[in-house]
Amino acid sequence: MALMTRCLIIGICTGWLALLVSFPVFGQVAAERREVGDLVCPNASAVRKHLPEHTSDSQNTASAEMPSDAELGTLARTVIQPPLTFETSTIAGLIPKAGARRIAFWGDSHLAGGPLASTLIQALRDQGLRVASGLLPPTMGRANVRLPELRAYCIGSGWTSEIAYTAQSPRDTGPALVDRAADAGPNSYLWLDLRDIARRPDVRQVQLIYRTSSGASVRYTIDDGAPQTSTLPATAASRALALSSSQLLSTLKLSVSAGKFTLLGIVLDRGQQPDVTMDVFGLPSATVKGWANANPKSLAQALHGITYDGVVLEYGTNEGADPDFDIEKYTAMLTRALDNLRQVFPDASCVLVGPPDRGVLRQGSNKSLPLLNYANIHQKISQTQFEVGQRFGCMAWNWQSLMGGPGGSYGWAHAQPRLMGRDLTHLSPSGYRLTGQALAHSLRWTP
């Protein structure tokens, strides 16, 4: 194979400023693209492609029992209500039109682990729209997280997570509300296959949004080319490390070679602008407290000029699982979260997706819980989202109502095919697909 001339561009950006330095590699430009192989991870257990669809939480349900049909009575009947349709004017930024749209979803395990997100993406593609992600969350390798628009990746065990919703006080965070950090060492690798499912490259530049309080160095290769090293200065605010080559990128292999490196997100600059850029930030066990804890100024700065026409927040299930759930505290937390959201995205169309219905398994202390224990809490959460959302220009989408209201989880568990997971908290793959189709209809993505 003839030697190729490759120009590798490294940019370190702060805010909207960028300094680009080129490094030529001598040789003759090849007349055709060099074939890039699939990722072969350093540790076979680190291979991640398309993860299985998540259908249950961490609770052990092997010995749990569904309430009997006699106990359930009419609650065993499956109900699927027609989805509401929002007025066009209330969600204008979420409706595709001539020109590109940029949309983001934040949520918990319902969004992160099951086929809900991929169903929404497919609904747009079924309308003939080109859909692609533009900002990847740094959640590779976390349990029950599927990244539907990332073909494959490898990640070492040296990466730790800094999560906004578990913080005890407001904190600086990246757009995904979870940052990943790694110290230099053999387990600090992160490899990405950026091609589509058909192995076609479409990314012309990658920007790694990062922080490093004491400075760091990262070593990387693009498309199995020559290794390069970038030394990064200490910075309290986030910066962007821009990586590109003379051709569209297929793979990127990164590791931390010195210091500590905190990754906030990965921006993909595509060769062809999609009709809809849809970014999905799902994290199992997450609550809206992540937005309540986020420092809106640092989060906005970490976006480096990216904004969204429409935003969707899908939360409520984990808030409702708190045995000491207090509706007044939840109202205050949701208010803080939406205030922060509006400081970052003041003009974006906004939808709050409430929690689905949740049932009670007959296991341990749950044997004496009322059938509608969680269902009634979820109803309060959905009503609060409607009331507080109005103050911030956010529409509310009632997932529990789609399921027939409080107790609907039992009927969905009795459906054929089953629409509810066996934990009566998460849905089955069929249930998530049905929900995705209903939400897409409400958003006017389908006829």
Side-chain angles (χ1 to χ4, degrees), residues 6 34-40 191 195 221-227 250-253:
R6 179 168 292 174
R34 178 169 61 87
E35 181 66 20
V36 179
D38 291 336
L39 297 180
V40 178
W191 297 359
R195 295 169 290 190
T221 62
I222 293 176
D223 295 350
D224 297 328
S250 293
T251 63
L252 171 66
K253 297 180 179 179

Side-chain angles (χ1 to χ4, degrees), residues 138-383:
T139 48
M140 303 84 185
R142 287 192 60 86
N144 296 319
V145 173
R146 300 176 73 241
L147 298 174
E149 293 300 288
L150 181 60
R151 181 172 181 267
Y153 65 84
C154 308
I155 188 168
S157 60
W159 291 88
T160 59
S161 300
E162 301 170 2
I163 302 174
Y165 81 84
T166 62
Q168 298 303 309
S169 59
R171 66 183 304 276
D172 295 342
T173 184
L177 305 179
V178 53
D179 305 334
R180 304 296 291 283
D183 292 306
N187 292 316
S188 66
Y189 61 86
L190 175 60
W191 297 359
L192 307 175
D193 188 331
L194 302 171
R195 295 169 290 190
D196 64 18
I197 194 66
R199 302 180 84 250
R200 294 182 299 245
D202 185 39
V203 175
R204 61 184 180 185
Q205 179 177 264
V206 169
Q207 291 188 67
L208 304 178
I209 309 301
Y210 73 93
R211 284 195 303 265
T212 174
S213 58
S214 301
S217 293
V218 292
R219 183 178 174 86
Y220 57 88
T221 62
I222 293 176
D223 295 350
D224 297 328
Q228 301 287 336
T229 298
S230 181
T231 300
L232 310 173
T235 175
S238 71
R239 294 192 179 190
L241 175 63
L243 309 174
S244 66
S245 76
S246 59
Q247 297 179 335
L248 296 175
L249 280 65
S250 293
T251 63
L252 171 66
K253 297 180 179 179
L254 169 78
S255 64
V256 183
S257 53
K260 181 176 182 179
F261 179 81
T262 299
L263 181 64
L264 281 61
I266 303 167
V267 178
L268 305 178
D269 180 10
R270 298 188 179 275
Q272 181 182 356
Q273 180 72 15
D275 300 306
V276 179
T277 298
M278 183 165 160
D279 298 332
V280 179
F281 307 119
L283 188 65
S285 301
T287 68
V288 79
K289 186 179 178 181
W291 267 105
N293 276 343
N295 178 339
K297 290 184 179 180
S298 65
L299 196 157
Q301 189 270 335
L303 285 163
H304 290 268
I306 292 174
T307 189
Y308 293 104
D309 301 294
V311 295
V312 178
L313 270 60
E314 176 274 308
Y315 294 111
T317 295
N318 297 300
E319 291 90 327
D322 186 346
D324 299 318
F325 177 78
D326 184 307
I327 192 61
E328 293 184 358
K329 291 181 179 178
Y330 173 74
T331 300
M333 181 172 66
L334 180 61
T335 300
R336 290 196 307 273
L338 295 185
D339 182 64
N340 288 341
L341 178 80
R342 280 308 186 195
Q343 290 186 57
V344 181
F345 307 116
D347 302 319
S349 296
C350 171
V351 171
L352 307 180
V353 174
D357 191 64
R358 178 178 176 180
V360 175
L361 290 170
R362 291 315 185 202
Q363 177 188 36
S365 60
N366 285 354
K367 290 182 178 180
S368 60
L369 281 180
L371 289 173
L372 300 183
N373 181 76
Y374 297 112
N376 289 336
I377 294 174
H378 285 203
Q379 186 178 45
K380 293 177 181 178
I381 289 173
S382 296
Q383 180 61 30

Side-chain angles (χ1 to χ4, degrees), residues 42-56:
N43 179 349
S45 64
V47 178
R48 294 292 186 272
K49 294 187 180 178
H50 295 289
L51 298 181
E53 292 169 348
H54 179 56
T55 58
S56 65

